[in-house]
Amino acid sequence: MEIRIDNIEGLKDAARQFVEASGDGRIFAFYGGMGAGKTTFIKAICEHLGVNDVITSPTFAIVNEYTSSVSAESIYHFDFYRIKKIDEVFDMGYEEYFYSGSYCFIEWPELIEEVLPDEAVKVEITVDADGCRIVRM
């Protein structure tokens, strides 16, 4: 599946399309370069899922937990950009998050691929020459 986001106003609709297309998927690994829009798109997805909290990049915290006001379930947002060794992922207890049945949105998954669950859905965000974002899953 491919979703084209032409501008910031298109994020809400793109997030809706993404959630509808994701089916039973709960773990999403977001690949894309710095500035591709991973955090911005994850924020839009979380808002579509009913998160009313302030949604920020977990770059320094590694994981942020949000709660959906619609379903009351937890949603986890990871940013592994600053991970230096896979032991750090083990130390944080990644299994409790990844196997919780909750939504997990993962930025920089290439740094932890050896522990990504088989069912993780690969999502690639690229930037076209005209500046629009293309989301492929």
Side-chain angles (χ1 to χ4, degrees):
M1 163 175 210
E2 185 174 289
I3 301 169
R4 181 181 175 91
I5 306 170
D6 292 314
N7 51 46
I8 199 84
E9 291 79 23
L11 271 173
K12 187 175 183 177
D13 187 54
R16 178 193 54 76
Q17 289 178 54
F18 182 88
V19 171
E20 288 175 0
S22 66
D24 294 334
R26 290 299 190 153
I27 302 170
F28 298 90
F30 286 82
Y31 294 82
M34 188 75 69
K38 298 180 296 293
T39 301
T40 302
F41 190 55
I42 291 170
K43 178 180 177 184
I45 294 167
C46 289
E47 289 171 350
H48 179 77
L49 292 171
V51 173
N52 293 324
D53 303 326
V54 174
I55 302 165
T56 60
S57 175
T59 301
F60 294 101
I62 300 176
V63 62
N64 287 344
E65 179 179 359
Y66 309 115
T67 303
S68 169
S69 63
V70 175
S71 65
E73 73 176 301
S74 293
I75 297 170
Y76 301 107
H77 179 191
F78 299 86
D79 184 333
F80 289 113
Y81 183 75
R82 296 194 181 278
I83 292 293
K84 302 229 184 320
K85 297 184 292 186
I86 199 69
D87 289 344
E88 295 174 62
V89 180
F90 288 105
D91 291 345
M92 70 174 284
Y94 81 94
E95 302 99 333
E96 290 181 37
Y97 299 104
F98 288 2
Y99 298 102
S100 67
S102 297
Y103 280 104
C104 292
F105 300 112
I106 305 163
E107 296 185 50
W108 301 103
E110 54 269 47
L111 299 174
I112 61 145
E113 282 189 332
E114 64 192 79
V115 298
L116 278 178
D118 292 339
E119 65 271 16
V121 177
K122 181 179 179 180
V123 181
E124 183 180 19
I125 301 179
T126 56
V127 183
D128 264 3
D130 63 0
C132 77
R133 275 32 182 198
I134 306 295
V135 179
R136 292 179 185 89
M137 64 183 233

